[in-house]
Amino acid sequence: MPVRDGLFVDVDPPLLVTGRCRSCGHLHFPHRRTCPYCSSERVDESRVPGRGRLWAHTAVTAAPPGYTGDVPYGFGVVELDEGLRVIGRLTEAEPSLLRRGQPMTLVVVPLHTDDDGRTVVTYAFAPSSAEPHGLDGRRPPTGAAT
Amino acid sequence: MAGVGMHPFGRHGELSTTEMGVTAVRAALTEAGVGRGGFQAAFCATAYGGVASGHKVLGALGMTGMPIVDVEAGCASGGAALMLAAGAIAAAQYDTVLVFGVEKMPKGIIRSSFFEPWQEEAGLAATPAYFALRAQRLMESSGVTKDHLAAVVVKNRRHGVHNDDAMFRSEVVAGDVLASRVVCEPLRLWMLCTPNEGAAAVVLRANGTGSSGAVRLAAAVLRSHVPGAVLSESTPLSGLVDDDVIPPTALAAQDAYEQAGVGPGDLDVVECQDTDAARELLSYEELALCAPGSSAELLESGATQLGGRLPVNPSGGLLSKGEPLGASALGQVVELVRQLRGQCGARQVPGARTALSHTVGRGANAGVVILTR
């Protein structure tokens, strides 16, 4: 199950759910009813493929508050082809193996198993050269025990 | 600025927020010669203090009855409280106002109610990771290297040796900074400030009433962000493809320079937000202490160390003092009042007459205070 509804569509390949304002034209994520740039209510949901280029990246080496998944994990910003910079996890947890500007693709990754035994998943970005993404291509973040 | 007081920043065991606040407030009131009934309002800055933190401090001192307002603006809470007090005095609502900040931070990475539960669950509430991404962008835009980041730590820790109110009072060498544990590449553990505990207080009095000493509050500005920058302190999950969104620190600095009628070239001493080493360098650029992209050169020139043209963080900065959120901005102000009075001993900036304090953090909130004498 998704960590939160309305962030992404878990199809193969997955889609990121953004908002596009009909008044000012700006994209935003996550999708909101009101445009964060111009306060307009004329915002359309826009599902985008989540392809783009790496704009900044690091790795988180110690579990931050409220997080029960594995560490380390990659963390960065991807500039989507549609013209939007998005913060998210990266599947690569070794920063030296990534470089700014390299093609990245949206994937869905597991976070942890909830009390009812369901796998909680979230969106992340993987280097485009990585293995096929989507349901069958799911893999735990680097360093995760499987 | 009629009086200032501090409770040292550090880890103080069972000592409560209220007890630390009492120490700082009592010192500031004593210095100002103000007793019960001598101030008409109080603003208390705190982020983690909880309900009625200010009332608890003043209640413990037997000094209640006036309006007491707690103020939360993240790292800039103290700047926000000072702005409100200065505004009320300028409007002739009060002639003497007490402003203080208290904090007792949890250990480790700061847990913030700012993030939604799903963001924590997804590992996106990783505050140092946002600092690291900002540091990485600065390294790309300004020629900043890890050696520069280490040099900021070495500089501020050297300054902090002389500050009795600092948590860390030993010098460090660059090699040890770089060899400390990687928290989020490129940031090493010693490049990050430590959340901790402490209190600071100032008494603000209208011009021309009483013996205010020579230090004057020339500007106290708080600004929030304009949207668009993905790595803004507002911590959004997305941003525009636009590298020219004005950051909240620059907005606050522009307003403060205008209000005070001074420019960055007039400053003698600065206390700025060094939550991490890169943040200090970014502040050089956003406060217009140097041209965009030249923070590394300003650091290399030695200008920002004690003895240089414009010492930055002579107190040792947050890297030496630690960061008790509600108290940190007022801690800077206390330091600068003492600098302008010439009371800082081995860390004194000789002849300092114009000083700037800067804090920025989640919200986004950016506070800039300018003091003159």
Side-chain angles (χ1 to χ4, degrees), chain A residues 3-4 7 26 28-29 36-37 55-61 64-67 73 75 79 83-87 89 100 111-112 120, chain B residues 109 111 118 120-126 129-130 133 136-137 140 182-185 227-228 230-231 237-243:
Chain A
V3 67
R4 188 198 137 191
L7 293 173
H26 288 319
H28 62 264
F29 170 81
Y37 295 100
W55 188 72
H57 69 284
T58 184
V60 177
T61 59
Y67 175 74
Y73 58 91
F75 189 95
E79 192 169 291
L84 180 70
R85 290 172 182 160
V86 176
I87 300 238
R89 295 168 67 99
R100 187 178 172 212
L111 284 170
H112 62 92
V120 178
Chain B
I109 298 179
R111 183 165 201 166
W118 78 265
E120 291 193 336
E121 194 176 347
L124 298 180
Y130 294 90
L133 295 179
Q136 186 194 105
R137 294 296 308 182
E140 286 169 9
V182 175
V183 176
C184 288
E185 183 66 30
V230 69
L231 294 180
L237 284 171
S238 69
L240 304 177
V241 179
D242 181 352
D243 295 328

Short mmCIF file of all heavy atoms in Angstrom, two decimals, chain A residues 3-4 7 26 28-29 36-37 55-61 64-67 73 75 79 83-87 89 100 111-112 120, chain B residues 109 111 118 120-126 129-130 133 136-137 140 182-185 227-228 230-231 237-243:
data_model
loop_
_atom_site.label_atom_id
_atom_site.label_comp_id
_atom_site.label_asym_id
_atom_site.label_seq_id
_atom_site.Cartn_x
_atom_site.Cartn_y
_atom_site.Cartn_z
N VAL A 3 2.47 4.84 0.89
CA VAL A 3 2.70 5.53 2.16
C VAL A 3 1.69 6.66 2.34
O VAL A 3 1.34 7.02 3.45
CB VAL A 3 4.16 6.03 2.25
CG1 VAL A 3 4.42 7.13 1.23
CG2 VAL A 3 4.51 6.48 3.65
N ARG A 4 1.21 7.18 1.23
CA ARG A 4 0.12 8.16 1.26
C ARG A 4 -0.58 8.13 -0.09
O ARG A 4 0.09 8.04 -1.12
CB ARG A 4 0.67 9.56 1.51
CG ARG A 4 -0.42 10.60 1.75
CD ARG A 4 0.08 12.03 1.57
NE ARG A 4 -0.92 12.80 0.81
CZ ARG A 4 -0.70 14.01 0.31
NH1 ARG A 4 0.46 14.58 0.42
NH2 ARG A 4 -1.65 14.64 -0.33
N LEU A 7 0.04 10.45 -4.13
CA LEU A 7 1.40 10.88 -4.48
C LEU A 7 1.82 10.33 -5.84
O LEU A 7 2.46 11.02 -6.64
CB LEU A 7 2.41 10.38 -3.44
CG LEU A 7 2.33 10.94 -2.02
CD1 LEU A 7 3.31 10.18 -1.13
CD2 LEU A 7 2.66 12.43 -2.02
N HIS A 26 2.18 26.95 -13.50
CA HIS A 26 3.22 26.23 -12.74
C HIS A 26 2.76 24.84 -12.32
O HIS A 26 1.60 24.62 -11.98
CB HIS A 26 3.62 27.00 -11.48
CG HIS A 26 4.41 28.24 -11.76
ND1 HIS A 26 5.41 28.28 -12.71
CD2 HIS A 26 4.38 29.48 -11.21
CE1 HIS A 26 5.95 29.48 -12.72
NE2 HIS A 26 5.33 30.24 -11.83
N HIS A 28 3.26 21.69 -9.57
CA HIS A 28 3.71 21.46 -8.19
C HIS A 28 3.48 20.01 -7.79
O HIS A 28 2.72 19.29 -8.45
CB HIS A 28 3.02 22.43 -7.23
CG HIS A 28 1.52 22.28 -7.18
ND1 HIS A 28 0.68 23.06 -7.93
CD2 HIS A 28 0.74 21.42 -6.49
CE1 HIS A 28 -0.58 22.69 -7.69
NE2 HIS A 28 -0.58 21.69 -6.83
N PHE A 29 4.14 19.59 -6.74
CA PHE A 29 4.00 18.23 -6.20
C PHE A 29 4.18 18.31 -4.69
O PHE A 29 5.08 19.02 -4.23
CB PHE A 29 5.07 17.30 -6.81
CG PHE A 29 5.14 15.96 -6.12
CD1 PHE A 29 4.22 14.96 -6.45
CD2 PHE A 29 6.08 15.71 -5.13
CE1 PHE A 29 4.27 13.73 -5.80
CE2 PHE A 29 6.12 14.48 -4.48
CZ PHE A 29 5.22 13.49 -4.82
N PRO A 36 0.11 26.67 -5.06
CA PRO A 36 0.98 27.31 -4.08
C PRO A 36 1.69 28.56 -4.61
O PRO A 36 2.30 29.29 -3.84
CB PRO A 36 2.00 26.21 -3.73
CG PRO A 36 2.00 25.30 -4.91
CD PRO A 36 0.62 25.37 -5.51
N TYR A 37 1.60 28.79 -5.93
CA TYR A 37 2.28 29.96 -6.51
C TYR A 37 1.36 31.16 -6.68
O TYR A 37 1.79 32.29 -6.55
CB TYR A 37 2.93 29.57 -7.84
CG TYR A 37 4.02 28.56 -7.64
CD1 TYR A 37 3.80 27.21 -7.88
CD2 TYR A 37 5.26 28.96 -7.13
CE1 TYR A 37 4.80 26.27 -7.63
CE2 TYR A 37 6.25 28.03 -6.88
CZ TYR A 37 6.02 26.70 -7.14
OH TYR A 37 7.00 25.78 -6.87
N TRP A 55 19.53 16.47 -10.03
CA TRP A 55 19.90 17.88 -9.84
C TRP A 55 20.74 18.07 -8.58
O TRP A 55 21.58 18.95 -8.52
CB TRP A 55 18.62 18.71 -9.77
CG TRP A 55 18.81 20.19 -9.77
CD1 TRP A 55 19.18 20.97 -10.83
CD2 TRP A 55 18.63 21.07 -8.66
NE1 TRP A 55 19.24 22.29 -10.44
CE2 TRP A 55 18.91 22.39 -9.12
CE3 TRP A 55 18.25 20.89 -7.32
CZ2 TRP A 55 18.83 23.50 -8.28
CZ3 TRP A 55 18.17 22.00 -6.50
CH2 TRP A 55 18.46 23.30 -6.99
N ALA A 56 20.51 17.24 -7.57
CA ALA A 56 21.33 17.26 -6.35
C ALA A 56 21.11 15.93 -5.64
O ALA A 56 20.02 15.36 -5.73
CB ALA A 56 20.92 18.41 -5.44
N HIS A 57 22.13 15.44 -4.94
CA HIS A 57 21.95 14.15 -4.28
C HIS A 57 22.86 13.98 -3.09
O HIS A 57 23.95 14.54 -3.03
CB HIS A 57 22.15 13.00 -5.26
CG HIS A 57 23.59 12.85 -5.70
ND1 HIS A 57 24.17 13.69 -6.61
CD2 HIS A 57 24.54 11.96 -5.34
CE1 HIS A 57 25.42 13.32 -6.80
NE2 HIS A 57 25.68 12.28 -6.04
N THR A 58 22.39 13.18 -2.13
CA THR A 58 23.19 12.80 -0.98
C THR A 58 22.68 11.43 -0.53
O THR A 58 21.95 10.77 -1.27
CB THR A 58 23.09 13.86 0.14
OG1 THR A 58 23.97 13.51 1.21
CG2 THR A 58 21.68 13.99 0.68
N ALA A 59 23.07 11.02 0.67
CA ALA A 59 22.53 9.79 1.24
C ALA A 59 22.29 10.03 2.72
O ALA A 59 23.02 10.78 3.36
CB ALA A 59 23.50 8.62 1.05
N VAL A 60 21.26 9.39 3.23
CA VAL A 60 20.94 9.49 4.66
C VAL A 60 21.53 8.26 5.33
O VAL A 60 21.23 7.12 4.95
CB VAL A 60 19.41 9.55 4.86
CG1 VAL A 60 19.07 9.58 6.34
CG2 VAL A 60 18.82 10.77 4.15
N THR A 61 22.40 8.51 6.33
CA THR A 61 23.16 7.40 6.92
C THR A 61 22.62 6.96 8.28
O THR A 61 23.01 5.91 8.80
CB THR A 61 24.63 7.79 7.10
OG1 THR A 61 24.69 8.96 7.95
CG2 THR A 61 25.28 8.11 5.76
N PRO A 64 16.20 8.94 10.27
CA PRO A 64 15.62 10.18 10.80
C PRO A 64 14.37 9.87 11.64
O PRO A 64 13.87 8.74 11.61
CB PRO A 64 15.26 10.97 9.55
CG PRO A 64 15.10 9.97 8.47
CD PRO A 64 15.97 8.80 8.83
N PRO A 65 13.86 10.86 12.38
CA PRO A 65 12.70 10.64 13.25
C PRO A 65 11.53 10.01 12.50
O PRO A 65 11.22 10.43 11.38
CB PRO A 65 12.34 12.06 13.71
CG PRO A 65 13.59 12.84 13.59
CD PRO A 65 14.33 12.25 12.43
N GLY A 66 10.92 9.01 13.10
CA GLY A 66 9.71 8.41 12.55
C GLY A 66 9.93 7.43 11.42
O GLY A 66 8.98 6.90 10.85
N TYR A 67 11.18 7.16 11.08
CA TYR A 67 11.49 6.28 9.96
C TYR A 67 11.99 4.93 10.48
O TYR A 67 12.90 4.90 11.32
CB TYR A 67 12.56 6.93 9.09
CG TYR A 67 13.07 6.06 7.95
CD1 TYR A 67 12.28 5.83 6.83
CD2 TYR A 67 14.34 5.49 8.01
CE1 TYR A 67 12.74 5.04 5.80
CE2 TYR A 67 14.81 4.70 6.97
CZ TYR A 67 14.01 4.47 5.86
OH TYR A 67 14.46 3.70 4.84
N TYR A 73 20.12 5.27 2.74
CA TYR A 73 19.34 5.36 1.51
C TYR A 73 19.65 6.67 0.81
O TYR A 73 20.05 7.65 1.45
CB TYR A 73 17.84 5.21 1.78
CG TYR A 73 17.24 6.21 2.75
CD1 TYR A 73 16.70 7.41 2.30
CD2 TYR A 73 17.21 5.95 4.12
CE1 TYR A 73 16.13 8.32 3.18
CE2 TYR A 73 16.65 6.87 5.01
CZ TYR A 73 16.12 8.05 4.54
OH TYR A 73 15.57 8.95 5.42
N PHE A 75 19.03 10.15 -1.33
CA PHE A 75 18.10 11.26 -1.12
C PHE A 75 18.53 12.37 -2.07
O PHE A 75 19.71 12.70 -2.13
CB PHE A 75 18.22 11.71 0.34
CG PHE A 75 17.19 12.70 0.78
CD1 PHE A 75 16.04 12.29 1.42
CD2 PHE A 75 17.39 14.06 0.60
CE1 PHE A 75 15.09 13.21 1.85
CE2 PHE A 75 16.45 14.99 1.02
CZ PHE A 75 15.30 14.56 1.66
N GLU A 79 15.14 16.82 -11.55
CA GLU A 79 14.45 17.82 -12.36
C GLU A 79 13.71 17.07 -13.47
O GLU A 79 14.33 16.49 -14.36
CB GLU A 79 15.48 18.79 -12.95
CG GLU A 79 14.87 20.02 -13.56
CD GLU A 79 15.94 21.06 -13.89
OE1 GLU A 79 16.53 21.63 -12.96
OE2 GLU A 79 16.20 21.26 -15.09
N GLY A 83 9.46 20.03 -16.24
CA GLY A 83 9.85 21.32 -15.67
C GLY A 83 9.45 21.45 -14.21
O GLY A 83 8.74 22.38 -13.82
N LEU A 84 9.88 20.52 -13.40
CA LEU A 84 9.55 20.53 -11.97
C LEU A 84 10.68 19.82 -11.23
O LEU A 84 11.13 18.75 -11.65
CB LEU A 84 8.24 19.78 -11.74
CG LEU A 84 7.73 19.69 -10.29
CD1 LEU A 84 7.26 21.06 -9.81
CD2 LEU A 84 6.59 18.67 -10.19
N ARG A 85 11.17 20.42 -10.15
CA ARG A 85 12.18 19.76 -9.32
C ARG A 85 11.48 19.07 -8.16
O ARG A 85 10.70 19.71 -7.45
CB ARG A 85 13.20 20.77 -8.80
CG ARG A 85 14.09 21.31 -9.92
CD ARG A 85 14.97 22.45 -9.45
NE ARG A 85 15.76 22.95 -10.58
CZ ARG A 85 16.33 24.15 -10.62
NH1 ARG A 85 16.23 24.97 -9.58
NH2 ARG A 85 17.02 24.53 -11.69
N VAL A 86 11.76 17.79 -7.98
CA VAL A 86 11.06 16.99 -6.98
C VAL A 86 12.06 16.36 -6.02
O VAL A 86 13.08 15.81 -6.44
CB VAL A 86 10.22 15.87 -7.66
CG1 VAL A 86 9.58 14.97 -6.61
CG2 VAL A 86 9.16 16.48 -8.55
N ILE A 87 11.75 16.46 -4.72
CA ILE A 87 12.56 15.82 -3.67
C ILE A 87 12.10 14.39 -3.51
O ILE A 87 10.89 14.11 -3.52
CB ILE A 87 12.35 16.55 -2.33
CG1 ILE A 87 12.79 18.00 -2.47
CG2 ILE A 87 13.01 15.80 -1.17
CD1 ILE A 87 13.85 18.47 -1.56
N ARG A 89 13.44 9.99 -2.40
CA ARG A 89 14.47 9.00 -2.15
C ARG A 89 15.11 8.60 -3.48
O ARG A 89 14.48 8.68 -4.53
CB ARG A 89 13.85 7.74 -1.53
CG ARG A 89 13.26 7.93 -0.16
CD ARG A 89 12.44 6.73 0.21
NE ARG A 89 13.27 5.54 0.39
CZ ARG A 89 13.67 5.09 1.58
NH1 ARG A 89 13.29 5.69 2.67
NH2 ARG A 89 14.42 4.00 1.68
N ARG A 100 25.57 14.54 -11.09
CA ARG A 100 24.56 15.53 -11.44
C ARG A 100 24.27 15.45 -12.93
O ARG A 100 25.19 15.30 -13.73
CB ARG A 100 25.08 16.92 -11.07
CG ARG A 100 24.02 17.96 -11.24
CD ARG A 100 24.49 19.33 -10.84
NE ARG A 100 23.43 20.26 -11.24
CZ ARG A 100 23.63 21.49 -11.63
NH1 ARG A 100 24.83 21.99 -11.67
NH2 ARG A 100 22.62 22.25 -11.99
N LEU A 111 9.11 0.32 1.76
CA LEU A 111 9.67 1.01 2.93
C LEU A 111 9.79 0.06 4.12
O LEU A 111 10.81 -0.07 4.75
CB LEU A 111 8.77 2.18 3.33
CG LEU A 111 8.83 3.43 2.46
CD1 LEU A 111 7.70 4.38 2.83
CD2 LEU A 111 10.19 4.12 2.61
N HIS A 112 8.66 -0.56 4.44
CA HIS A 112 8.62 -1.48 5.59
C HIS A 112 7.31 -2.25 5.52
O HIS A 112 6.46 -1.97 4.66
CB HIS A 112 8.73 -0.71 6.91
CG HIS A 112 7.60 0.24 7.16
ND1 HIS A 112 6.46 -0.11 7.84
CD2 HIS A 112 7.40 1.52 6.77
CE1 HIS A 112 5.63 0.91 7.88
NE2 HIS A 112 6.18 1.92 7.24
N VAL A 120 4.45 -1.41 2.77
CA VAL A 120 4.22 0.02 2.53
C VAL A 120 5.24 0.49 1.50
O VAL A 120 6.44 0.25 1.67
CB VAL A 120 4.33 0.83 3.83
CG1 VAL A 120 4.13 2.32 3.56
CG2 VAL A 120 3.33 0.33 4.87
N ILE B 109 18.84 14.07 15.71
CA ILE B 109 18.19 14.82 14.64
C ILE B 109 16.87 15.35 15.19
O ILE B 109 16.10 14.63 15.80
CB ILE B 109 17.93 13.92 13.42
CG1 ILE B 109 19.24 13.39 12.84
CG2 ILE B 109 17.17 14.70 12.35
CD1 ILE B 109 19.06 12.48 11.64
N ARG B 111 13.31 16.22 15.84
CA ARG B 111 12.01 15.80 15.36
C ARG B 111 11.12 17.03 15.32
O ARG B 111 10.98 17.75 16.29
CB ARG B 111 11.40 14.75 16.29
CG ARG B 111 10.06 14.25 15.76
CD ARG B 111 9.62 12.97 16.43
NE ARG B 111 8.65 12.28 15.58
CZ ARG B 111 8.30 11.02 15.76
NH1 ARG B 111 8.85 10.32 16.71
NH2 ARG B 111 7.40 10.46 14.96
N TRP B 118 3.48 10.79 7.03
CA TRP B 118 3.93 9.99 5.88
C TRP B 118 5.33 10.39 5.44
O TRP B 118 6.11 9.53 4.98
CB TRP B 118 2.94 10.07 4.71
CG TRP B 118 3.01 11.34 3.90
CD1 TRP B 118 2.25 12.45 4.04
CD2 TRP B 118 3.91 11.60 2.80
NE1 TRP B 118 2.61 13.40 3.13
CE2 TRP B 118 3.62 12.92 2.34
CE3 TRP B 118 4.92 10.88 2.16
CZ2 TRP B 118 4.31 13.51 1.29
CZ3 TRP B 118 5.61 11.48 1.10
CH2 TRP B 118 5.30 12.77 0.67
N GLU B 120 7.72 11.37 7.45
CA GLU B 120 8.62 10.69 8.39
C GLU B 120 8.75 9.22 8.00
O GLU B 120 9.84 8.66 7.96
CB GLU B 120 8.09 10.79 9.82
CG GLU B 120 8.14 12.19 10.41
CD GLU B 120 7.91 12.18 11.92
OE1 GLU B 120 7.27 11.23 12.42
OE2 GLU B 120 8.38 13.13 12.59
N GLU B 121 7.61 8.60 7.71
CA GLU B 121 7.59 7.16 7.37
C GLU B 121 8.42 6.88 6.12
O GLU B 121 9.08 5.86 6.02
CB GLU B 121 6.13 6.73 7.18
CG GLU B 121 5.91 5.25 7.15
CD GLU B 121 4.42 4.90 7.05
OE1 GLU B 121 3.56 5.79 7.25
OE2 GLU B 121 4.13 3.72 6.77
N ALA B 122 8.40 7.83 5.18
CA ALA B 122 9.12 7.64 3.92
C ALA B 122 10.59 8.05 4.02
O ALA B 122 11.33 7.96 3.04
CB ALA B 122 8.43 8.43 2.81
N GLY B 123 11.01 8.51 5.19
CA GLY B 123 12.41 8.92 5.35
C GLY B 123 12.69 10.30 4.79
O GLY B 123 13.85 10.66 4.55
N LEU B 124 11.63 11.09 4.58
CA LEU B 124 11.82 12.42 4.00
C LEU B 124 11.95 13.51 5.06
O LEU B 124 12.14 14.67 4.74
CB LEU B 124 10.67 12.75 3.04
CG LEU B 124 10.53 11.82 1.83
CD1 LEU B 124 9.35 12.25 0.97
CD2 LEU B 124 11.81 11.79 1.00
N ALA B 125 11.85 13.13 6.36
CA ALA B 125 12.01 14.11 7.44
C ALA B 125 13.47 14.15 7.90
O ALA B 125 13.77 14.29 9.07
CB ALA B 125 11.07 13.77 8.59
N ALA B 126 14.36 14.00 6.96
CA ALA B 126 15.79 13.90 7.25
C ALA B 126 16.43 15.27 7.14
O ALA B 126 17.05 15.62 6.13
CB ALA B 126 16.44 12.92 6.27
N ALA B 129 19.77 16.00 5.56
CA ALA B 129 19.86 15.72 4.12
C ALA B 129 19.54 16.97 3.31
O ALA B 129 20.14 17.22 2.26
CB ALA B 129 18.93 14.57 3.74
N TYR B 130 18.58 17.76 3.80
CA TYR B 130 18.27 19.02 3.12
C TYR B 130 19.46 19.97 3.22
O TYR B 130 19.80 20.66 2.26
CB TYR B 130 17.00 19.65 3.71
CG TYR B 130 15.75 18.83 3.45
CD1 TYR B 130 15.34 17.84 4.34
CD2 TYR B 130 15.00 19.03 2.30
CE1 TYR B 130 14.19 17.08 4.10
CE2 TYR B 130 13.86 18.28 2.03
CZ TYR B 130 13.46 17.30 2.95
OH TYR B 130 12.34 16.55 2.69
N LEU B 133 22.04 18.79 0.67
CA LEU B 133 21.73 19.12 -0.72
C LEU B 133 22.03 20.59 -0.98
O LEU B 133 22.56 20.96 -2.03
CB LEU B 133 20.26 18.81 -1.03
CG LEU B 133 19.85 17.33 -0.95
CD1 LEU B 133 18.36 17.19 -1.26
CD2 LEU B 133 20.67 16.49 -1.93
N GLN B 136 25.68 20.95 -1.28
CA GLN B 136 26.18 20.46 -2.57
C GLN B 136 25.95 21.48 -3.67
O GLN B 136 26.82 21.73 -4.51
CB GLN B 136 25.46 19.15 -2.92
CG GLN B 136 26.02 18.49 -4.16
CD GLN B 136 25.09 17.40 -4.67
OE1 GLN B 136 24.39 17.57 -5.66
NE2 GLN B 136 25.08 16.28 -3.98
N ARG B 137 24.79 22.10 -3.67
CA ARG B 137 24.51 23.12 -4.68
C ARG B 137 25.47 24.32 -4.53
O ARG B 137 25.93 24.88 -5.51
CB ARG B 137 23.05 23.59 -4.59
CG ARG B 137 22.03 22.54 -4.93
CD ARG B 137 22.10 22.06 -6.36
NE ARG B 137 22.08 23.14 -7.34
CZ ARG B 137 22.10 22.96 -8.65
NH1 ARG B 137 22.14 21.73 -9.16
NH2 ARG B 137 22.10 23.98 -9.46
N GLU B 140 28.74 23.60 -6.00
CA GLU B 140 28.75 23.69 -7.46
C GLU B 140 28.69 25.13 -7.96
O GLU B 140 29.32 25.48 -8.95
CB GLU B 140 27.59 22.87 -8.05
CG GLU B 140 27.88 21.38 -7.96
CD GLU B 140 26.67 20.52 -8.27
OE1 GLU B 140 25.65 21.06 -8.73
OE2 GLU B 140 26.76 19.29 -8.05
N VAL B 182 30.54 10.73 8.32
CA VAL B 182 29.69 11.32 7.29
C VAL B 182 28.24 11.18 7.72
O VAL B 182 27.76 10.07 7.94
CB VAL B 182 29.89 10.62 5.92
CG1 VAL B 182 28.89 11.19 4.90
CG2 VAL B 182 31.32 10.78 5.44
N VAL B 183 27.55 12.31 7.88
CA VAL B 183 26.12 12.27 8.22
C VAL B 183 25.31 12.21 6.93
O VAL B 183 24.51 11.31 6.72
CB VAL B 183 25.72 13.48 9.09
CG1 VAL B 183 24.22 13.49 9.34
CG2 VAL B 183 26.47 13.45 10.41
N CYS B 184 25.50 13.20 6.08
CA CYS B 184 24.92 13.22 4.74
C CYS B 184 25.95 13.89 3.85
O CYS B 184 26.22 15.08 4.03
CB CYS B 184 23.61 14.01 4.70
SG CYS B 184 22.22 13.22 5.51
N GLU B 185 26.54 13.15 2.95
CA GLU B 185 27.55 13.69 2.06
C GLU B 185 27.09 15.03 1.48
O GLU B 185 25.95 15.10 0.98
CB GLU B 185 27.83 12.67 0.94
CG GLU B 185 28.90 13.04 -0.02
CD GLU B 185 30.29 13.09 0.63
OE1 GLU B 185 30.53 12.33 1.59
OE2 GLU B 185 31.09 13.90 0.17
N PRO B 227 7.52 31.19 -2.70
CA PRO B 227 7.63 29.80 -3.16
C PRO B 227 8.47 29.67 -4.43
O PRO B 227 8.63 30.64 -5.17
CB PRO B 227 6.18 29.40 -3.41
CG PRO B 227 5.49 30.67 -3.74
CD PRO B 227 6.16 31.73 -2.92
N GLY B 228 9.00 28.47 -4.65
CA GLY B 228 9.66 28.21 -5.92
C GLY B 228 10.99 27.50 -5.79
O GLY B 228 11.36 26.72 -6.67
N VAL B 230 13.28 24.73 -4.55
CA VAL B 230 13.06 23.37 -4.04
C VAL B 230 13.83 23.13 -2.75
O VAL B 230 13.40 22.35 -1.89
CB VAL B 230 13.39 22.32 -5.12
CG1 VAL B 230 14.89 22.26 -5.42
CG2 VAL B 230 12.88 20.94 -4.73
N LEU B 231 14.98 23.80 -2.58
CA LEU B 231 15.77 23.59 -1.37
C LEU B 231 15.60 24.74 -0.37
O LEU B 231 16.40 24.91 0.55
CB LEU B 231 17.25 23.42 -1.72
CG LEU B 231 17.57 22.14 -2.51
CD1 LEU B 231 19.06 22.06 -2.81
CD2 LEU B 231 17.12 20.89 -1.75
N LEU B 237 8.32 19.84 -1.18
CA LEU B 237 8.71 18.60 -1.87
C LEU B 237 8.95 18.84 -3.34
O LEU B 237 9.37 17.93 -4.06
CB LEU B 237 7.63 17.52 -1.67
CG LEU B 237 7.65 16.90 -0.27
CD1 LEU B 237 6.45 16.00 -0.07
CD2 LEU B 237 8.95 16.10 -0.05
N SER B 238 8.68 20.05 -3.80
CA SER B 238 8.97 20.35 -5.20
C SER B 238 9.26 21.84 -5.35
O SER B 238 8.96 22.63 -4.45
CB SER B 238 7.79 19.95 -6.10
OG SER B 238 6.69 20.79 -5.86
N GLY B 239 9.84 22.17 -6.48
CA GLY B 239 10.14 23.58 -6.76
C GLY B 239 10.23 23.81 -8.25
O GLY B 239 10.20 22.86 -9.05
N LEU B 240 10.33 25.06 -8.62
CA LEU B 240 10.39 25.43 -10.03
C LEU B 240 11.80 25.22 -10.58
O LEU B 240 12.77 25.16 -9.83
CB LEU B 240 10.01 26.90 -10.20
CG LEU B 240 8.64 27.33 -9.63
CD1 LEU B 240 8.46 28.84 -9.80
CD2 LEU B 240 7.53 26.55 -10.32
N VAL B 241 11.88 25.14 -11.91
CA VAL B 241 13.19 25.14 -12.56
C VAL B 241 13.60 26.61 -12.68
O VAL B 241 13.38 27.27 -13.70
CB VAL B 241 13.12 24.45 -13.93
CG1 VAL B 241 14.49 24.48 -14.62
CG2 VAL B 241 12.66 23.00 -13.75
N ASP B 242 14.09 27.14 -11.57
CA ASP B 242 14.40 28.56 -11.47
C ASP B 242 15.42 28.73 -10.35
O ASP B 242 15.14 28.43 -9.19
CB ASP B 242 13.11 29.34 -11.14
CG ASP B 242 13.34 30.85 -11.04
OD1 ASP B 242 14.50 31.28 -11.08
OD2 ASP B 242 12.34 31.58 -10.90
N ASP B 243 16.61 29.19 -10.69
CA ASP B 243 17.65 29.35 -9.68
C ASP B 243 17.68 30.76 -9.10
O ASP B 243 18.57 31.08 -8.32
CB ASP B 243 19.03 29.01 -10.29
CG ASP B 243 19.10 27.54 -10.67
OD1 ASP B 243 18.46 26.71 -9.98
OD2 ASP B 243 19.79 27.22 -11.66
#
